[in-house]
């Protein structure tokens, strides 16, 4: 959370999620020099986003250090926390 780029991308994801009414997801990747890159997934729908294929916690040849996605539906209609499907997906990774 101390990384300027990552914090900027979190804000942009939220901004775009609200304007598009879509879940927005990203991988945070670690480059070979230790810096972080943020790669956005294709926008989802209001309550779903598809995680791109990735194997062995690697995407585009770089280590996935974290992933995040938005939940644009406001409480109480939507979740402000990871959904059961989110938790299962992380467990399976
Ligand atoms: Zn979710």
């Amino acid at each position: 959370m101390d990384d300027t780029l990552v914090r900027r991308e979190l804000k942009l994801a939220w901004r775009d999620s609200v304007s598009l009414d879509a879940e927005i997801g990203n991988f945070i990747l670690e480059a070979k020099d230790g810096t972080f890159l943020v790669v956005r997934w294709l926008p989802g729908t209001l309550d779903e986003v598809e995680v791109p294929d990735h194997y062995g916690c690697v995407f585009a040849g770089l280590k996935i250090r974290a992933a995040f996605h938005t939940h644009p539906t406001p409480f109480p209609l939507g979740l402000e926390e990871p959904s059961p499907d989110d938790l299962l997906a992380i467990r399976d990774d």
Side-chain angles (χ1 to χ4, degrees):
M1 291 308 300
D2 292 335
D3 189 274
T4 304
L5 171 75
V6 170
R7 290 194 352 219
R8 185 186 76 202
E9 292 297 328
L10 283 163
K11 289 178 185 174
L12 290 174
W14 184 247
R15 180 199 69 187
D16 294 346
S17 182
V18 170
S19 69
L20 296 171
D21 277 338
E23 289 195 5
I24 299 292
N26 297 262
F27 285 133
I28 300 172
L29 307 174
E30 183 176 353
K32 306 260 186 260
D33 65 1
T35 59
F36 294 120
L37 303 166
V38 178
V39 176
R40 187 174 286 195
W41 312 338
L42 292 175
T45 62
L46 190 57
D47 61 357
E48 190 173 25
V49 66
E50 187 170 333
V51 182
D53 288 339
H54 58 286
Y55 302 99
C57 293
V58 171
F59 184 79
L62 300 174
K63 276 186 180 177
I64 300 170
R65 298 305 304 256
F68 65 89
H69 67 269
T70 60
H71 286 175
T73 308
F75 184 82
L77 299 173
L79 286 172
E80 293 184 338
E81 59 194 34
S83 70
D85 283 348
D86 294 337
L87 297 175
L88 289 174
I90 294 297
R91 182 204 63 191
D92 292 345
D93 270 354

